[in-house]
Amino acid sequence: MSELTRIPAPDGVAAAAQYSHVVLGTGRFVAVAGQLPLDERSRLVGEGDPAAQARQVFENLRRCLAAAGASFDDVVKLTCFVTDMAHMPAVRAARAEHIPDDRLPAASAVQVAALVRPEFLLEIEAYAVVSP
């Protein structure tokens, strides 16, 4: 695990309750492609259920990070793409199962018109920094 510094609210920037404005560290950079709510057999998990989809996406992120020798402790940035901002509470709940409030990464949430398949409600990508 790398040593990361989280700056929740730089001087002159409004505080954020659900993310850190800045996260910095030194080490190997790990980029994890946008993860979808698919299980290991490429089957959709949670059709029409944003909470089930979010849990699967975070499980996929966990597995991808582990493949790179990283964990959620190393994540510096999450980008959430949702088809409806009403899905964000489900995303935050799934995130809370993996990332404690004192280790929140920088984050962005973007509502999109569609994802690669219409049954997908969300997609999340991650960036991490791991000790060299």
Side-chain angles (χ1 to χ4, degrees):
M1 177 172 56
S2 67
E3 186 66 33
L4 301 178
T5 301
R6 290 169 174 80
I7 304 170
D11 290 342
V13 177
Q18 298 294 322
Y19 59 90
S20 297
H21 277 287
V22 179
V23 181
L24 58 115
T26 57
R28 288 184 304 115
F29 180 74
V30 177
V32 178
Q35 294 300 299
L36 295 163
L38 296 171
D39 67 13
E40 62 276 358
R41 294 187 181 105
S42 296
R43 294 180 301 208
L44 174 67
V45 172
E47 186 166 356
D49 182 349
Q53 289 196 16
R55 286 191 301 273
Q56 182 64 47
V57 165
F58 272 92
E59 177 58 19
N60 292 348
L61 287 168
R62 185 194 66 74
R63 290 175 179 176
C64 289
L65 289 164
S71 73
F72 281 107
D73 285 341
D74 302 306
V75 171
V76 296
K77 176 78 162 74
L78 290 174
T79 304
C80 304
F81 303 96
V82 293
T83 57
D84 187 330
M85 280 298 185
H87 302 325
M88 285 308 297
V91 170
R92 286 192 289 274
R95 183 193 65 201
E97 293 175 15
H98 297 277
I99 304 173
D101 285 347
D102 67 339
R103 302 200 56 84
L104 292 174
S108 299
V110 181
Q111 183 170 326
V112 295
L115 293 166
V116 69
R117 287 182 12 202
E119 62 270 26
F120 296 149
L121 303 177
L122 58 111
E123 178 176 344
I124 302 174
E125 64 185 18
Y127 299 99
V129 175
V130 183
S131 294

